Amino acid sequence: MIRLATCSLAGCFGCHMSFLDMDEKFLGFVERVEFDRSPFTDIKSIGKCDIGLVEGGLCNEENLAVLKEFRENCAILVAVGACAINGGIPAMRNHFSMDECLAEAYLDGIGIENPQIPSDPELPVLLQKVCPVHEAVRIDYFLPGCPPPAGAFEVLLEALLKGEKPELPRKLIHYD
Amino acid sequence: MGSNPLQLLIAIQKAFNHVPDDAICRVASALGLPISRILGDVEFYSFLSREPLGTYSVLMSDSITDWMLGSRELFLRLCGNLGVSPGVTRCDGLATVGKTSCTGMCDQGPALLVNGIAVANLTDERIDAISRLMEKQIPPVAWPDEYFRVESNIRRRGWLFQDWQGPILEGEVLLQEMTDAGLRGRGGAGFPTAKKWASCRDAPGSERYVVCNADEGEPGTFKDRVLLQHCAGRLFEGMALCARTVGAKRGFLYVRGEYRYLEAHLEAQLAARRDADFEIELHWGAGAYICGEESALLESIEGKRGIPRVRPPFPVTFGLHGMPTVVDNVETFCAAAAIAAGGGSEFRSLGTAGSCGTKLLSVSGDCARPGIYEYSFGVSVSQILEDCGAGNVLAVQVGGAAGSCLDASEFGRKICFEDLPTSGSVMVFDRTRDMREAALNFSRFFAHESCGFCTPCRVGTGILAQAMERISEGRGTEEDITEIGDLGGILKASHCGLGQSANRAVRDMLRKFPEHFEGGVN
Amino acid sequence: MKTVSLDGAVVPFAEGQTVMECALAANISIPHLCFLPGFLPHGSCRLCTVKIDGRLASACTQPAMAGQHVEIDTEELRQVRLSLLRMLFVEGNHYCPACEKSGSCRLQKAAYDEGMLDLHYRPWYPKRKMDASHPDVLIDRDRCIFCELCVKASRDVDGKNIFGISGRGIDTHLVVNSKSGLLADTDISAQDRAVEVCPVGAILVKGRGFEIPIGKRLYD
């Protein structure tokens, strides 16, 4: 069995939804693939895996720690979706300072009651800038799209399960 | 100055310590040009500024040779003395302290420009004294003369510095003599000069121009400065001979803004000329290395941003204002004048088969006698090192930031078009030096001087500089090292030579001195 | 008839034609961005980089000359194009999912065609000034690729001369010809060629919101 782990960092889980959009083809993979850490299994810690799929970019220190764990444990690491590849929508906060972002979200925004910036020690520390995953670790393959189409996951996994290099056809490459 | 936008803007900058937005609109409307053209100039040339600068605008020369002489420490000292942050004007408006690319004082650095005028031989004491003068609001004209003294440091004179007094050859005879002598352009590319002049003469056009490129910005080069100081008469004679040969009525001497201190001297030399048929105008640069590229230089004389043109067509057919134009280097015009005055046959006898005559070299860095050396082409690097008193040499950078970095195994190589073509910059690094510093300096230089027109250079020089920043801070990765090498392939797709050669020296340094970079990678 | 060789195909050309023009006439595709027929080419994006007799050159500015041997579709040039596209993406802010131009964007299409899956370099996330002052047209400078097509179209087609390029190096940016520097103080209109010609989402018509469904857009 091939062991596969997935996670969503600074993402919206849309890539995971698209993964599930493979519908009945997903069942075909289930027979050959065992899921390790993933929102699908609710397993919280990662073991040694053959393939890791990372959705989302890096916006806080927890994202960074998870990404490094995935890199250490996965033989093949795949950046999945626009946010993992270029920071995506969360990276639009890079146009503003951290103070501006926090003030807008928790102090000055419309409809805020009891304005205060959260400071619970449980909350991971935000990074100054949101950045794509390839800035922090080596990435083996990339699956662009917001989200990548289900067919792209299929092409990727079929190739990797056969031990081949995935070749995404032109019609499955899009950035939105 | 007349109606030339760039010269007007330089004057406005000088008068107001910046170019106010209102002035941009007024200049545009006075000259009948779009606002974007004038704004484009202000935001392109680094000596122009939209924000008010201090009464004293200080720019520290940031060449690698300045670094080696302690400029970065002096820069911090100056900022500390005045209580300013780099690039931020002091709140009372007294001073702005920033950095600028090589100011051509490498043989007497560290140097700075105060309100555009060079001050060399900086020491802690001199920096402290300057700080005090500024605090007391004493204008630079009242500062001690010695601060502004610029030495010529001519260490070795040859053919070019001889006083050729023969009967002057002109026209076709001169072209033949230049061809026979084997004169090629001294800027580094080495195009046969007579061929260039003849092409210009033969190209169709209602007017013709002769332009002298004295915008030497290649880090480590300062020979034009010395020639302008000592041989301006010969230079103007060379330009006039060219003008008579090609049929030009007007000429321009484009001098880099860093040499503004030469203005009175050059104006006096020009005033002393008696030639009603050929008028030479001074045109000042304003802090843009790219304007040393001949087509960018022409754009700049036309008052535009210094963006290199699409070539072909070349300036000899489509030059200034679209007219046939000869653009030659200071040294080339001087050599042409010397050949016209009888120096041809001796010129021919000097040098190598493919590189006749002599070459002025600007030698700086770790050596006892930095300065100007005139050698016959074919001189070996080791000979130069011996003559300038360089010992324990690790590396020699020939040709400036865009040139080649040689290690000790290559010191037998020769300065000539066949082996090491160069505009004359020779920078010496001894074994106490960390070549990572030089690589950082050069990569920053290109990122700062890229004109921004084409993708590979605009972005590639930035990526190169960022990778070198990380490596120099010890945060580099193996990927950064690989990237610096790989960028060469894409930079080659650049629009002009600046981008095409931008990673060359850094790549050489990585290959030849890998141990210097190990500490930067984790 | 004078000819050039384009990836081995012998193609005739007329005097004064560029390599790009003779390739277009022969239906041979050379990827390009800043080049658009009808406008004077200047070769800034370099995407049309080809190898002519061993030297890299931009096909849109290089005059065709008899006997030239032009390489287009080689592994080396594919790598150059891919790197150029990645550079254009990292120096700007190209969040396709949030861009009105997505699906009809020539930068995006060029990247699809070259099979660009990742940025490779670290994105720069520039913060250039947005200009939303005009009621009908807006400028998002973070998406500008400095192709100057709007500059040329506004000057030469619309006769308004509204745009220019200013700055230097990585600070290069699009500027507007008005005292305030704002689009509101120009006579631009949403129907101007300068607006329509923008290959990316830098100059957009306001009041539209993702009108064309995904799958029906120009390059879907």
Side-chain angles (χ1 to χ4, degrees), chain A residues 133-144:
Chain A
V133 294
H134 73 274
E135 278 201 34
V137 301
R138 182 175 50 80
I139 299 292
D140 300 295
Y141 298 107
F142 297 86
L143 221 53

Side-chain angles (χ1 to χ4, degrees), chain A residues 86 95 134 170 175-176, chain C residues 93 102 112 116 121 125 217:
Chain A
N86 74 359
H95 299 251
H134 73 274
R170 166 75 169 77
Y175 305 150
D176 59 2
Chain C
N93 291 323
S102 188
Y112 291 169
M116 187 185 100
Y121 308 113
Y125 301 121
R217 301 168 304 184

Side-chain angles (χ1 to χ4, degrees), chain A residues 82 85-89 91-92 94-97 129-132 134-135 142-144 146 168 170 173-176, chain C residues 89 93-98 102-103 108-109 111-113 115-123 125-127 142 217:
Chain A
I85 288 171
N86 74 359
I89 303 300
M92 292 174 92
N94 292 348
H95 299 251
F96 306 93
S97 72
K129 296 279 172 214
V130 176
C131 58
H134 73 274
E135 278 201 34
F142 297 86
L143 221 53
C146 184
L168 221 51
R170 166 75 169 77
I173 302 176
H174 61 72
Y175 305 150
D176 59 2
Chain C
F89 270 84
N93 291 323
H94 298 283
Y95 305 117
C96 297
S102 188
Q108 190 188 51
K109 177 192 182 286
Y112 291 169
D113 290 347
M116 187 185 100
L117 301 181
D118 69 317
L119 296 180
H120 181 77
Y121 308 113
R122 301 171 189 224
Y125 301 121
K127 295 179 191 177
D142 293 337
R217 301 168 304 184

